[in-house]
Amino acid sequence: MVKEVNKEHKNVEMTRKKKRSGIVYFDYSLLAILICLVCFGLVMLYSTSSYSAMMKQNGDSLFYFKRQLLFCIVGFIGMWLVSKIDYHWYINKSKLFYFFSIFMMFLVKTPLGKEVNGAKRWIKLPFGQQLQPAEIAKIAVILFIPALICTMGKEIKTWRGVIRVLAWGGFSAAVVYLITDNLSTAIIVMGITCITIFVVHPKTKIFVGIAGVGIVLAIAGARILGTMMETSGSFRLRRILVWLNPEKYASEGGYQIMQALYAIGSGGFFGKGLGNSAQKMIIPEVQNDMILSIICEELGVFGAIMVLILFGMLLYRLLFIAQNAPDLYGSLIVTGIFAHIALQVILNVMVVINCIPTTGITLPFISYGGTSVLFLMAEMGLALGVSARIKIAE
């Protein structure tokens, strides 16, 4: 009898300790929003790509849809596996992962490299698959930069520390640009680094000022260059000309953006209806970076607003996890994921409405792309892994 009482007393004490330590949290809201985005993306991908797939893939209108669905299923499985790993495990492995990403990008210059649509950014994999190693660089920076900041301690608050972190992020961005010739991903890699520093550094006004001046100088420089490079042979400089005057250069690179703008304008507020787009039969590779224009045509501005609200909710959940993470490393990992998705969505929207030159940046979870989906799902697994270690007081 005494033993039973003591055993019951121990159970009560253990229960009290668990209550004091808090309830383990898991962000089901983030998971639900992610499922909504992926399902919506699959529907819009089929609607957008069915015609072009029928023309290019021997009459198989489901070609792009089936491939994307397969990658999404594999991505969800990978996300679940990543979420089960204690994110502290990455601290000692992040530097190795960083250099692995550099190594993978250099493989593009070997016989394993594969050229698609005039750009050599992929490496060949077995069974006819391909991998874009620049996507690995994003996750590598998301994991390594926070680990570097945590090991630096108070040094990150000095200019020497800031320059040191920028050097690591800048090196990865430089390799992305110079080796894989992918300027848009290089901008995102550097943006993730800068935003992570901005979050952890106490003097934020300086960074805001530098960013504001940089944006103004970039816009002014682009417009000045636009008047000086009519005869330039560089495709990137020609993109600036197309951006400044898409109607004039409609036959020299402005065709895609002009048709995308026509699609947005013809959709009105509520759109023509799902599947009723006309421009999807004209815009080249519309299932990639221009899929938002077809969303606007079929579902109207209202549909585009709903998509942006979903992304806003996703970013809000990431912000919540970052603010409540149990330690600095977890918080900065989720901050990096937040920065990646926010930058990619903003840049894609700005390209589609012709606010910036065409970059080739896709819309996360919605545009077609197997490599992109897999690595985005891995990032969501990291965020859910951090959220699973948040403890909320009962």
Side-chain angles (χ1 to χ4, degrees), residues 155-390:
E155 187 184 352
I156 189 60
K157 298 180 181 180
T158 65
W159 284 111
R160 180 185 173 185
V162 170
I163 293 170
R164 182 182 165 191
V165 176
L166 286 174
W168 283 99
F171 177 71
S172 180
V175 173
V176 171
Y177 174 62
L178 296 173
I179 302 301
T180 69
D181 196 26
N182 194 335
L183 178 60
S184 56
T185 301
I187 291 171
I188 290 175
V189 168
M190 198 63 201
I192 292 169
T193 304
C194 293
I195 291 173
T196 306
I197 296 171
F198 171 78
V199 168
V200 78
H201 200 278
K203 298 179 181 179
T204 56
K205 292 182 180 179
I206 298 174
F207 293 95
V208 173
I210 292 172
V213 172
I215 292 170
V216 171
L217 290 176
I219 294 173
R223 294 195 174 275
I224 292 170
L225 283 172
T227 62
M228 300 170 58
M229 57 188 182
E230 294 285 341
T231 59
S232 173
S234 170
F235 79 94
R236 287 200 173 89
L237 295 180
R238 300 296 294 177
R239 280 182 177 181
I240 296 177
L241 285 174
V242 170
W243 167 57
L244 295 173
N245 196 345
E247 293 181 357
K248 181 179 178 181
Y249 298 96
S251 61
E252 303 175 26
Y255 180 78
Q256 188 182 42
I257 189 64
M258 284 300 300
Q259 296 303 321
L261 292 174
Y262 291 150
I264 294 170
S266 64
F269 190 77
F270 289 108
K272 297 178 178 178
L274 189 64
N276 294 329
S277 167
Q279 300 304 118
K280 67 184 178 183
M281 303 179 187
I282 302 172
I283 301 175
E285 303 297 334
V286 66
Q287 70 275 4
N288 296 329
D289 54 329
M290 288 295 168
I291 195 169
L292 183 64
S293 64
I294 305 305
I295 293 174
C296 290
E297 185 180 9
E298 295 188 352
L299 304 180
V301 176
F302 176 79
I305 291 172
M306 292 298 103
V307 174
L308 295 179
I309 287 174
L310 277 175
F311 278 116
M313 293 169 65
L314 181 74
L315 293 173
Y316 170 75
R317 297 315 307 171
L318 291 173
L319 185 63
F320 175 85
I321 296 170
Q323 288 179 328
N324 294 278
D327 51 43
L328 181 62
Y329 184 62
S331 179
L332 292 180
I333 285 178
V334 182
T335 298
I337 298 169
F338 175 96
H340 172 206
I341 294 176
L343 285 170
Q344 198 158 328
V345 171
I346 291 169
L347 291 175
N348 179 266
V349 172
M350 292 179 74
V351 165
V352 171
I353 61 178
N354 201 37
C355 286
I356 60 173
T358 305
T359 60
I361 292 177
T362 57
L363 192 62
F365 306 109
I366 295 178
S367 295
Y368 175 73
T371 304
S372 176
V373 167
L374 289 177
F375 285 101
L376 282 168
M377 289 295 190
E379 290 181 20
M380 292 299 102
L382 285 170
L384 289 171
V386 175
S387 79
R389 284 157 181 82
I390 296 174

Side-chain angles (χ1 to χ4, degrees), residues 104-110 113 120-123 133 179-180:
M104 292 295 291
M105 285 188 283
F106 273 99
L107 289 180
V108 171
K109 296 298 184 181
T110 69
K120 196 172 183 181
R121 300 172 181 173
W122 288 262
I123 55 176
I179 302 301
T180 69

Side-chain angles (χ1 to χ4, degrees), residues 123-144:
I123 55 176
K124 300 172 188 175
L125 296 177
F127 308 109
Q129 299 300 315
Q130 59 195 34
L131 172 69
Q132 191 171 4
E135 295 294 329
I136 303 176
K138 296 176 184 176
I139 293 190
V141 168
I142 287 171
L143 292 174
F144 176 63

Side-chain angles (χ1 to χ4, degrees), residues 39-54:
C39 291
F40 176 81
L42 288 170
V43 171
M44 289 310 307
L45 178 66
Y46 173 69
S47 176
T48 301
S49 66
S50 57
Y51 177 79
S52 60
M54 191 177 295

